[in-house]
């Protein structure tokens, strides 16, 4: 397969220069900008990231500003983007850059990789795009393109497959490292697409692609079988006194750590059980208004939630406020959109 990979730079670079999308984070090669965009783009669509990226940099224009930001500011800037450990790690890494590197983003791949929240993929992306290092950034897009190109049935979610591909690509990296990294990603995002048939007629690799020659594009990539998600039932208490709602802070560790939430009970509760529970919390309900069912899906878990809107007077062990003033994860915010 080395021969196929060696053809990639000459085929992909001219195509990328002609077809690259104009994205906010491609306006310069400032490491802070590239790093932030790569973290935001993990598990998140480009269109969804654009607004968040711009707002984040307007509020925190430098690594020093990010290092000094408080938790509430960070969560508010990230609200709705999900996977909140990403913003906690961004903050930790900014502090590390201030302490270890005097506020300048490091150039040595080992130093980049040592920062919180930066794995092989992000280190490869920042290293190649910002510093022209021959460091591949192998994500799902790149794995898909290469598995189709070489008609390779190895499961792409196995770490050994990713490692082997990273080494093979590093061996053929051209001096235009940043453009090459982005060309591979761009091809996977816009042409060799994940869902449905790839757009092979537009692809600069269609003369050499083995899956295309064999008419087997959609049989690749191969993935190992996933474990089913754990299903968790919960009863969400939407206690409100006019426009203000009862809120509480989640624990400092675990899923959605440190964010705000509506109070909830594990399991499914009847209205009578809910009223009894609230009485114990010192809350008297004046009206049971409506019940709404919602499902929120995380990577390994599904929350099957029954939200109960209850009119009451503020009190009990909660913080009472307008929810928009707090960073409320999407899993809870969806009830307010009802
Ligand atoms: S020819 Fe088709 S399957 Fe092969 S890399 Fe291009 S888009 Fe993907």
């Amino acid at each position: 397969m080395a021969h196929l990979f060696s053809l990639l730079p000459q085929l992909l670079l001219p195509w990328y220069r002609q077809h690259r999308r104009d994205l906010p984070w491609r306006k310069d090669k400032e490491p802070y900008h590239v790093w932030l965009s790569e973290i935001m783009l993990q598990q998140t669509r480009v269109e969804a990231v654009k607004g968040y990226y711009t707002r984040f940099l307007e509020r925190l224009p430098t690594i020093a500003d990010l290092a000094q930001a408080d938790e509430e500011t960070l969560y508010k800037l990230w609200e709705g983007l999900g996977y909140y450990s990403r913003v906690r790690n961004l903050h930790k890494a900014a502090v590390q850059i201030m302490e270890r590197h005097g506020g300048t983003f490091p150039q040595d791949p080992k130093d980049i990789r040592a920062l919180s929240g930066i794995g092989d993929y992000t280190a490869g992306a920042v290293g190649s795009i910002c510093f022209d290092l021959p460091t591949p950034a192998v994500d799902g897009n790149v794995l898909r393109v290469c598995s189709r190109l070489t008609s390779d049935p190895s499961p792409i979610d196995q770490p050994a497959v990713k490692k082997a591909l990273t080494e093979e690509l590093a061996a053929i990296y051209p001096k235009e490292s940043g453009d090459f990294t982005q060309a591979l990603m761009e091809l996977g995002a816009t042409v060799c697409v994940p869902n449905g048939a790839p757009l092979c007629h537009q692809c600069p690799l269609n003369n050499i692609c083995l899956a295309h020659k064999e008419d087997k594009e959609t049989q690749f990539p191969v993935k190992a079988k996933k474990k089913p998600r754990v299903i968790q039932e919960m009863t969400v208490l939407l206690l409100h006194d006019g426009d203000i709602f009862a809120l509480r802070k989640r624990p400092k560790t675990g899923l959605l750590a440190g964010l705000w939430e509506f109070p909830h009970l594990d399991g499914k509760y009847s209205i009578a059980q809910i009223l009894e529970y609230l009485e114990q919390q010192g809350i008297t309900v004046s009206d049971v208004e409506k019940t709404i069912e919602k499902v929120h899906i995380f990577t390994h878990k599904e929350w099957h939630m029954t939200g109960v809107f209850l009119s009451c007077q503020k009190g009990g062990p909660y913080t009472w406020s307008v929810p928009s003033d707090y960073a409320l994860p999407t899993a809870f915010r969806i009830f307010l959109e009802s």
Side-chain angles (χ1 to χ4, degrees), residues 144-146 148-149 187 191-193 197-213 216-218:
R144 181 172 59 258
V145 169
C146 293
R148 287 174 175 166
L149 174 70
L187 191 76
V191 176
C192 197
V193 288
L199 312 174
C200 301
H201 59 288
Q202 296 177 17
C203 179
L205 309 182
N206 58 15
N207 279 331
I208 61 165
C209 175
L210 297 185
H212 182 56
K213 275 188 189 152
K216 288 181 177 169
E217 300 92 333
T218 53

Side-chain angles (χ1 to χ4, degrees), residues 94-171:
V95 172
Q96 290 161 353
I97 293 170
M98 298 307 293
E99 288 173 358
R100 296 177 195 166
H101 308 288
T104 303
F105 201 96
Q107 294 200 22
D108 186 313
K110 278 209 270 338
D111 291 338
I112 300 176
R113 184 68 179 76
L115 297 170
S116 289
I118 296 200
D120 291 333
Y121 166 78
T122 309
V126 176
S128 58
I129 296 170
C130 306
F131 307 122
D132 270 328
L133 298 170
T135 51
V138 177
D139 66 351
N141 282 330
V142 176
L143 282 159
R144 181 172 59 258
V145 169
C146 293
S147 80
R148 287 174 175 166
L149 174 70
T150 57
S151 194
D152 185 345
S154 314
I156 59 162
D157 37 8
Q158 302 280 319
V161 173
K162 193 170 176 174
K163 187 167 178 281
L165 178 60
T166 304
E167 283 166 12
E168 284 187 89
L169 287 175

